[in-house]
Amino acid sequence: MHLHTLWFLLIAVLFTGYFVLEGFDFGVGMLLPVLGRDERERRVVINTIGPVWDGNEVWVLTAGGAMFAAFPEWYATLFSGFYLPLLLILLALILRGVAFEYRGKRDDVLWRRRFDWCIVFGSVVPAFLWGVAFANIVRGVPLDADHQYTGSLFTLLNPYALLGGLTTLLLFLTHGAIFIALKTVGDIRQRANALAERVGIAAALVAVVFLVWTMARHSTPLSVTLAVLAALCLVGGLVANRLPSRTDPQGRREGWAFTGTAAAIAFAVAALFATLYPDVLPSTVDPATNSLTVANASSTPYTLKIMTWVALVFTPIVLLYQGWTYWVFRKRIGTHHIPAEPAPTPAATTTAT
Amino acid sequence: MDATDLARWQFGITTVYHFLFVPITIGMAFLVAAFQTAWVRTGNEKWLKLTKFYGKLFLINFAMGVVTGIVQEFQFGMNWSEYSRFVGDIFGAPLAMEALLAFFLESTFLGLWIFGWDKLPKKIHLACIWIVAWGTVLSAAFILVANSWMQHPVGFRINAERGRAELTDFWAVLTNKVALITIPHTIAGAFLTAGGLVAAVAVWHLVRRPGRDTAAYRSAAKVGAWTTLVAMVALALTGDVQGKIMTEVQPMKMAAAEALYTTEQPAPFSLFTIGTLDGSRPVYALELPDLLSFLATGTFDGKVQGINDLQAEYEAKYGPGDYKPNIPVTYWTFRLMIGFGALASLIALWVLWATRKGRAPDANTRGGKLLLAGALALPLLPLLANSTGWIFTEMGRQPWIVFGQMKTAVAASPSVSSGDVITSMAVFTLLYGALAVVEVGLLLKYAKAGVPDVSPPPAVESDEDRPLAFAY
């Protein structure tokens, strides 16, 4: 296999990891006001991803860095071309990250409500815009002979791309609801399961339409297989979500349901990358000569060789310790696990004593 | 202003903002790890109190460091696409390695440290914060390797056909002499900052709240002050070597740092200069003879090239153009960097003197009040020194984006309009401004609250129902 094909695969793997892991983070963030009816419940919802969201987010930084290193032309054209959507995503990620850390730092209802909205905004916007961006990458954008983007913001807002955005939004919402059901006990778990049932149907319908549309535009036997697998996994996950748990009469088979949505997202991302290959950013203007491909966008074989060694050694290590984190924090949580922190302000303590 | 000028302002604003939080993160990670190690080894509760107290300040700061860093990862492609195309083959590698080797480590193990107080064995929990601390250094090392390549490109060849620089020797890039000296200098700056912050907060409590947790604050004040002093020695030594390397690889930057217009042998060190408005020659200068020669070359009679001679030399070499950086900015940032750092270490020395042999500063004396004022300046001075140091490094390289290879003027994104850049600059500036207010408010709130109570929580009936040690 040519090194630039291997790097196309590795970048696909990094984005797959990002969407599977941040997919439920975004879902959890969007569902914060829906499933968290009071302050304690909201904190349960946020703390399902408390220890892991930051590590999950690093997947996109690594994917961005890998694009820069392996396909600098792709990185340059894509990020300067998709300028305003990317700006919105960055704004959302900044607000979300700060909100997670800062919302509990003051015992003040208004303070927390504001940061709750930052979390919702910071989850909805990327969940939608990443779908729009990837649909546009697969669809192609106007590139001139120098591989410069010549479109505007509105070029990116075409019906196919908007449907892509809706697909990721609904998929992540379902994925997040099932993750919350998997990580909590009691009332929240029941409501999360019930919500996943309803949103899941909408997500499945939209996702199937989007994948069929994608395959109708451009497909290979591999990409069709992956798209079919994605649809099957999603349906399987949703079915598992309706089956009662064998051990707990209150619960359902959330482990299988989560595996199903995670696999569905992974296969869907893989199907998009399979459709894209060997292009990395097709041009809608003179596709034969203006498109960016793995060949004309890549770094030199020497750079790719060094990066390959680094990736092959360190990616398994990262997977091991990230997996261990999920194991350490594997226990379900409920409202009774939430400590009375943040501690009352010092002034309040003095009055009490 | 055209898109390139706007993009320069934006990169400057976002980077300076990012680098307010980074040094605190790097230095504080080690100090918090040291406090926790002291607690694990001695069992003395004061160290646990300090770990939790400064750990909280560290986390408030860390959050800002993370979110402002995300922007930097994408800004190269957004605003500087021509630069990204030209250097991607080389510049992308350290960036990707930073994310894969360091970002994952920091973010994952910090999550384990924050939430793992009751979930991990004591020593593994301690290992987590040490991994975070070394992760921050690893991350700094990779990004400084990338930056140093822009200052002094090595290990590459120019492929004229593809119009880009291509990597030929990655080891040379990793062991770039500019990188090897910039990394320890930057890390020492981080310790100066964190040491100053830790000492300042402790002194505030000693003076304003005498009698409360005195043992803990005295220890923190001493640890912080000693860190600052040792860091200043390291800064002076590394800075000296850095100056000599800079004279060798970027003589124009050294000349601009001194506003030395004509080549001199031996050259004096300038304490103060007033130049003409167009910045082409000095009007008045207060100088120390021969010192610059020593700083730049290691001998008191070494030759130091002047700005006007270098300008002529570069025109001959690279064609017509203006190869001078902004002289007032480089001249003053260089002086302010040294001055702020030196002042911080003097205050640290004063803190050590005031807390010697079991003494605590007394707020009722004039000395106590003065010390408190000094302590309040202590965390700010290193921050200013860091910023001015980086502004000097970056603006001293202009007009080049990659020294000798690519000019800043041709590096911006052709497909991005001024309107786009104005939009993003407005978004980032307003957002960062608002977040700074929130962040400083929280830091002050938690710094004033003082060390927490660390008595164990009341027993509960079953382990299953025990509340989490920490929840957002």
Side-chain angles (χ1 to χ4, degrees), chain A residues 201-348:
Chain A
I201 292 170
L205 288 175
V206 175
V208 167
V209 173
F210 176 69
L211 285 175
V212 168
W213 193 347
T214 307
M215 295 305 129
R217 299 183 74 98
H218 182 79
S219 66
T220 61
L222 176 65
S223 67
V224 173
T225 314
L226 291 166
V228 170
L229 280 171
L232 287 177
C233 287
L234 185 56
V235 172
L238 294 175
V239 170
N241 184 52
R242 285 173 171 260
L243 299 177
S245 160
R246 241 183 283 177
T247 50
D248 178 3
Q250 299 287 311
R252 309 193 197 180
R253 298 202 181 167
E254 288 118 1
W256 283 108
F258 181 72
T259 312
T261 49
I265 292 172
F267 281 124
V269 177
L272 290 185
F273 274 92
T275 308
L276 183 61
Y277 186 82
D279 286 338
V280 291
L281 193 58
S283 173
T284 48
V285 188
D286 197 357
T289 54
N290 293 3
S291 294
L292 281 172
T293 67
V294 287
N296 70 19
S298 77
S299 292
T300 54
Y302 175 67
T303 298
L304 292 179
K305 199 173 87 186
I306 289 169
M307 293 303 300
T308 305
W309 278 108
V310 173
L312 291 183
V313 172
F314 287 97
T315 313
I317 297 175
V318 170
L319 287 173
L320 268 179
Y321 65 66
Q322 282 213 332
W324 178 61
T325 312
Y326 279 89
W327 173 252
V328 168
F329 300 106
R330 67 192 175 281
K331 277 196 184 149
R332 290 174 179 269
I333 54 171
T335 43
H336 57 287
H337 290 117
I338 298 297
E341 260 202 329
T345 48

Side-chain angles (χ1 to χ4, degrees), chain B residues 163-219:
Chain B
R164 69 179 185 183
E166 294 182 345
L167 187 61
T168 56
D169 185 353
F170 190 57
W171 184 245
V173 172
L174 285 179
T175 57
N176 185 344
K177 59 185 166 189
V178 175
L180 292 183
I181 195 64
T182 307
I183 293 166
H185 193 69
T186 311
I187 300 295
F191 275 99
L192 183 83
T193 316
L197 185 64
V198 166
V201 174
V203 167
W204 189 86
H205 280 279
L206 284 173
V207 174
R208 295 292 294 271
R209 307 239 174 102
R212 247 191 263 180
D213 291 298
T214 310
Y217 292 127
R218 272 179 50 80
S219 301

